């Protein structure tokens, strides 16, 4: 819900086919192709109970909402 | 006046008060208060409330003014009822697939407190009528009249009083999910997009005036819509499925609400009917139309 100033959304993982596009503190999974991108994202979504969002066609992020 | 008159007046007052509580205790699709024990709790409290209300007037007439002070104890008691309900519902809410939300909970808790005061009031007026007229049937007649009124008082507005609910087309553009032209959310997985297009029902809630626009923008009110729809129509959702979530978003320009429901049966007409009957939450109501 809105209004709170506390940290509510957390990036749990990043899955990408484009390794150069992502760097930094998050857990990054580099996958070879689109099919593997969908598969890994699917698994991570269920495991982490965070929602998968498409940042661009190459990159997915798993976000924990509130 | 004779003591016996008071006795009868008090008995009639208590009886009418209790009947009022019974009448206002209605377990509908929400199943709250829960049956049977939740209801017993509230009937018992209703009995206490009506007893308090019924003896207030005779106590005054006997010049027993200190007896009135324990009405304040009653007020404290029923405020605790509100706290109790709030706490219970908040705890239970964490175990819901689609949560009620704080506003809905506060609304329910408030209703429980308010109804007890209404019982006190009914019982007091009934006894008053019986004592003043010195005729038991006047008390009964007053009581029945108040009982009828309490039925009207108890029901608030529903969503169709302030907004039009109609079906909307769910569509996906890249990862973005829309209902008609209102953006809902970003869904990363193609599999989830497919499920949502298959299972989802899109609705548009269109406010009728500026007051309604503000009221349905309230997050608590929106959560109540999602919760009530999920109760009445089931929900295609489970733990570990964070993407399958009923959601509502505003169209900022027009104040319309785009709603995604994930019911077990894709019956659009039923969805419209259910959402139309969602109660308008007291705490969400605003009246900006006062300044034209």
């Amino acid at each position: 819900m809105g209004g709170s100033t506390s940290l509510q959304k957390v990036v749990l993982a990043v899955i990408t086919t484009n390794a150069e596009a992502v760097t930094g503190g998050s857990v990054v999974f580099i996958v070879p192709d689109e099919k593997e991108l969908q598969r890994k994202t699917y698994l991570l979504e269920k495991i982490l109970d965070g929602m998968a969002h498409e940042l661009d066609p190459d990159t997915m992020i798993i976000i924990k909402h509130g | 006046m004779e003591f016996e008159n008071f006795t009868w007046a008090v008995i009639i007052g208590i009886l009418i008060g209790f009947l009022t509580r019974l009448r206002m205790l209605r377990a509908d699709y929400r199943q709250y208060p829960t049956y049977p024990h939740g209801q017993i709790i509230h009937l018992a409290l209703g009995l206490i409330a009506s007893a308090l209300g019924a003896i207030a007037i005779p106590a005054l007439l006997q010049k027993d003014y200190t007896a009135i002070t324990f009405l304040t104890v009653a007020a404290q008691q029923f405020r605790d009822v509100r706290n109790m309900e709030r706490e219970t519902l908040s705890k239970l809410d964490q175990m819901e697939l689609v949560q009620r939300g704080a506003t809905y909970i506060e609304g329910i808790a408030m209703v429980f407190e308010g109804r007890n005061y209404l019982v006190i009031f009914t019982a007091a007026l009934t006894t008053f009528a019986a004592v003043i007229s010195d005729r038991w049937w006047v008390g009964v007649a007053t009581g029945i009249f108040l009982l009828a009124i309490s039925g009207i008082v108890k029901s608030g507005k529903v969503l169709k009083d302030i907004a039009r609910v109609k079906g909307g087309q769910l569509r996906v553009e890249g990862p973005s999910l829309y209902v008609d032209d209102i953006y809902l959310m970003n869904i990363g997985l193609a599999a989830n997009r497919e499920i949502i297009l298959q299972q989802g029902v899109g609705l548009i809630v269109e406010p009728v005036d500026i007051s309604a626009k503000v009221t349905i923008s309230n997050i608590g009110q929106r959560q109540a819509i999602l919760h009530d729809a999920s109760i009445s129509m089931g929900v295609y959702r489970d733990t570990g499925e964070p993407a399958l979530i009923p959601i509502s978003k505003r169209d900022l320009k027009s104040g319309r609400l785009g709603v995604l429901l994930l019911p077990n049966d894709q019956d659009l007409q039923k969805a419209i009917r259910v959402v139309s009957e969602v109660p308008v939450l007291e705490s969400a109501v605003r009246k900006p139309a006062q300044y034209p």
Side-chain angles (χ1 to χ4, degrees), chain B residues 268-287:
Chain B
L268 178 66
Q269 291 313 314
K270 189 179 171 193
I272 291 175
R273 229 170 34 240
V274 166
V275 171
S276 299
E277 294 294 332
V278 170
V280 174
L281 301 182
E282 207 174 309
S283 317
V285 172
R286 303 282 183 281
K287 299 272 181 198

Side-chain angles (χ1 to χ4, degrees), chain B residues 77-94:
Chain B
Q77 163 81 13
F78 294 122
R79 218 173 55 213
D80 284 345
V81 170
R82 181 170 171 180
N83 289 335
M84 172 187 87
E85 287 302 334
R86 183 194 299 122
E87 250 170 63
T88 315
L89 282 168
S90 305
K91 288 229 174 72
L92 293 178
D93 210 27
Q94 295 164 10

Side-chain angles (χ1 to χ4, degrees), chain B:
Chain B
M1 235 175 242
E2 294 295 315
F3 173 69
E4 217 161 286
N5 287 342
F6 282 166
T7 311
W8 276 109
V10 166
I11 288 174
I12 291 168
I14 293 178
L15 212 63
I16 294 290
F18 186 67
L19 285 177
T20 311
R21 189 68 191 97
L22 204 60
R23 172 137 200 245
M24 289 189 295
L25 194 72
R26 134 188 100 148
D28 51 11
Y29 61 95
R30 283 165 282 200
Q31 281 298 300
Y32 200 86
T34 48
Y35 179 83
H37 296 100
Q39 300 201 354
I40 289 174
I41 290 170
H42 285 288
L43 286 178
L45 283 165
L47 191 64
I48 294 169
S50 61
L52 281 169
I55 53 175
I57 301 293
L60 261 180
L61 292 174
Q62 295 273 33
K63 300 214 170 10
D64 189 0
Y65 296 125
T66 46
I68 296 300
T69 54
F70 76 92
L71 278 180
T72 57
V73 181
Q76 177 66 43
Q77 163 81 13
F78 294 122
R79 218 173 55 213
D80 284 345
V81 170
R82 181 170 171 180
N83 289 335
M84 172 187 87
E85 287 302 334
R86 183 194 299 122
E87 250 170 63
T88 315
L89 282 168
S90 305
K91 288 229 174 72
L92 293 178
D93 210 27
Q94 295 164 10
M95 298 291 127
E96 298 275 354
L97 280 176
V98 179
Q99 299 194 336
R100 271 197 183 86
T103 318
Y104 204 167
I105 288 176
E106 199 54 45
I108 295 174
M110 208 157 25
V111 163
F112 278 117
E113 187 183 355
R115 286 187 180 173
N116 275 313
Y117 294 137
L118 218 56
V119 166
I120 295 183
F121 196 59
T122 316
L125 277 182
T126 305
T127 312
F128 182 66
V131 167
I132 288 295
S133 64
D134 204 8
R135 283 175 184 80
W136 65 269
W137 58 267
V138 176
V140 173
T142 312
I144 290 172
F145 175 67
L146 290 170
L147 210 56
I149 290 185
S150 67
I152 303 166
V153 172
K154 75 170 181 192
S155 47
K157 277 187 172 179
V158 293
L159 204 63
K160 70 176 169 201
D161 297 330
I162 64 164
R164 271 189 301 276
V165 183
K166 56 184 185 184
Q169 187 65 45
L170 287 175
R171 66 191 167 86
V172 162
E173 239 174 68
S176 306
L177 177 71
Y178 292 83
V179 53
D180 282 357
D181 57 328
I182 303 173
Y183 173 78
L184 289 177
M185 59 176 164
N186 176 310
I187 307 166
L189 280 170
N192 284 336
R193 289 199 283 266
E194 236 166 74
I195 293 175
I196 285 180
L197 286 182
Q198 218 172 58
Q199 292 289 332
V201 168
L203 293 176
I204 301 278
V205 181
E206 206 178 318
V208 291
D209 58 21
I210 184 163
S211 295
K213 202 187 276 188
V214 181
T215 303
I216 66 165
S217 72
N218 183 289
I219 298 173
Q221 180 64 56
R222 282 152 60 177
Q223 192 61 37
I225 294 174
L226 302 176
H227 176 81
D228 270 12
S230 304
I231 293 180
S232 298
M233 306 192 65
V235 63
Y236 195 88
R237 173 169 167 73
D238 199 4
T239 52
E241 298 281 358
L244 301 179
I245 185 165
I247 197 172
S248 70
K249 291 281 175 209
R250 288 183 85 192
D251 175 33
L252 293 175
K253 271 186 203 144
S254 63
R256 288 175 309 150
L257 213 57
V259 181
L260 164 70
L261 300 178
L262 293 165
N264 282 329
D265 50 341
Q266 279 65 48
D267 185 342
L268 178 66
Q269 291 313 314
K270 189 179 171 193
I272 291 175
R273 229 170 34 240
V274 166
V275 171
S276 299
E277 294 294 332
V278 170
V280 174
L281 301 182
E282 207 174 309
S283 317
V285 172
R286 303 282 183 281
K287 299 272 181 198
Q290 193 179 337
Y291 302 102

Side-chain angles (χ1 to χ4, degrees), chain A residues 13 40 45 50 58:
Chain A
K40 274 248 162 62
E45 185 182 76
D58 298 332

Side-chain angles (χ1 to χ4, degrees), chain A:
Chain A
M1 304 266 157
S4 173
T5 50
S6 62
L7 184 65
Q8 287 207 343
K9 295 182 196 293
V10 187
V11 180
L12 297 175
V14 180
I15 310 101
T16 186
T17 53
N18 182 3
E20 289 111 63
V22 186
T23 178
S26 263
V27 182
V28 182
F29 294 85
I30 298 159
V31 289
D33 53 33
E34 164 77 9
K35 194 167 163 252
E36 189 62 15
L37 180 72
Q38 288 284 336
R39 200 185 78 86
K40 274 248 162 62
T41 309
Y42 179 84
L43 288 175
L44 283 167
E45 185 182 76
K46 305 303 175 239
I47 293 165
L48 298 171
D49 201 5
M51 202 171 154
H53 295 289
E54 186 183 308
L55 215 51
D56 58 51
D58 298 332
T59 310
M60 299 271 207
I61 51 176
I62 309 272
I63 304 276
K64 183 90 184 169
H65 291 276

